[in-house]
mmCIF file of all heavy atoms in Angstrom:
data_model
loop_
_atom_site.group_PDB
_atom_site.id
_atom_site.type_symbol
_atom_site.label_atom_id
_atom_site.label_comp_id
_atom_site.label_asym_id
_atom_site.label_seq_id
_atom_site.Cartn_x
_atom_site.Cartn_y
_atom_site.Cartn_z
ATOM 1 N N VAL A 218 -68.731 -45.669 -144.959
ATOM 2 C CA VAL A 218 -69.097 -46.521 -143.844
ATOM 3 C C VAL A 218 -70.381 -46.129 -143.178
ATOM 4 O O VAL A 218 -70.988 -46.897 -142.454
ATOM 5 C CB VAL A 218 -67.978 -46.494 -142.766
ATOM 6 C CG1 VAL A 218 -66.675 -47.022 -143.342
ATOM 7 C CG2 VAL A 218 -67.786 -45.134 -142.169
ATOM 8 N N GLY A 219 -70.889 -44.911 -143.438
ATOM 9 C CA GLY A 219 -72.152 -44.487 -142.915
ATOM 10 C C GLY A 219 -71.998 -43.841 -141.534
ATOM 11 O O GLY A 219 -70.979 -43.879 -140.898
ATOM 12 N N ALA A 220 -73.122 -43.290 -141.083
ATOM 13 C CA ALA A 220 -73.062 -42.476 -139.838
ATOM 14 C C ALA A 220 -72.775 -43.289 -138.634
ATOM 15 O O ALA A 220 -72.002 -42.883 -137.752
ATOM 16 C CB ALA A 220 -74.356 -41.696 -139.674
ATOM 17 N N THR A 221 -73.451 -44.462 -138.475
ATOM 18 C CA THR A 221 -73.144 -45.252 -137.310
ATOM 19 C C THR A 221 -71.730 -45.781 -137.380
ATOM 20 O O THR A 221 -71.005 -45.861 -136.380
ATOM 21 C CB THR A 221 -74.130 -46.444 -137.188
ATOM 22 O OG1 THR A 221 -75.448 -45.885 -137.068
ATOM 23 C CG2 THR A 221 -73.830 -47.300 -136.008
ATOM 24 N N GLY A 222 -71.304 -46.100 -138.615
ATOM 25 C CA GLY A 222 -69.897 -46.460 -138.783
ATOM 26 C C GLY A 222 -68.973 -45.321 -138.418
ATOM 27 O O GLY A 222 -67.892 -45.525 -137.861
ATOM 28 N N LEU A 223 -69.401 -44.107 -138.687
ATOM 29 C CA LEU A 223 -68.590 -42.942 -138.320
ATOM 30 C C LEU A 223 -68.403 -42.886 -136.802
ATOM 31 O O LEU A 223 -67.320 -42.747 -136.302
ATOM 32 C CB LEU A 223 -69.288 -41.680 -138.790
ATOM 33 C CG LEU A 223 -69.319 -41.374 -140.290
ATOM 34 C CD1 LEU A 223 -70.140 -40.131 -140.536
ATOM 35 C CD2 LEU A 223 -67.904 -41.140 -140.782
ATOM 36 N N ALA A 224 -69.513 -42.992 -136.113
ATOM 37 C CA ALA A 224 -69.445 -42.883 -134.646
ATOM 38 C C ALA A 224 -68.582 -44.020 -134.103
ATOM 39 O O ALA A 224 -67.795 -43.821 -133.177
ATOM 40 C CB ALA A 224 -70.827 -42.915 -134.047
ATOM 41 N N ALA A 225 -68.747 -45.217 -134.663
ATOM 42 C CA ALA A 225 -67.997 -46.343 -134.169
ATOM 43 C C ALA A 225 -66.550 -46.347 -134.640
ATOM 44 O O ALA A 225 -65.648 -46.751 -133.938
ATOM 45 C CB ALA A 225 -68.653 -47.655 -134.645
ATOM 46 N N ALA A 226 -66.348 -45.818 -135.831
ATOM 47 C CA ALA A 226 -65.013 -46.001 -136.460
ATOM 48 C C ALA A 226 -64.088 -44.854 -136.315
ATOM 49 O O ALA A 226 -62.884 -45.022 -136.412
ATOM 50 C CB ALA A 226 -65.229 -46.310 -137.958
ATOM 51 N N ILE A 227 -64.619 -43.646 -136.068
ATOM 52 C CA ILE A 227 -63.722 -42.487 -136.074
ATOM 53 C C ILE A 227 -63.470 -41.964 -134.681
ATOM 54 O O ILE A 227 -62.319 -41.859 -134.240
ATOM 55 C CB ILE A 227 -64.297 -41.357 -136.949
ATOM 56 C CG1 ILE A 227 -64.449 -41.888 -138.371
ATOM 57 C CG2 ILE A 227 -63.396 -40.173 -136.970
ATOM 58 C CD1 ILE A 227 -65.262 -40.944 -139.248
ATOM 59 N N ALA A 228 -64.518 -41.610 -133.960
ATOM 60 C CA ALA A 228 -64.351 -41.006 -132.660
ATOM 61 C C ALA A 228 -63.458 -41.801 -131.700
ATOM 62 O O ALA A 228 -62.621 -41.225 -131.021
ATOM 63 C CB ALA A 228 -65.685 -40.733 -132.006
#
Side-chain angles (χ1 to χ4, degrees):
V218 300
T221 299
L223 287 175
I227 301 170

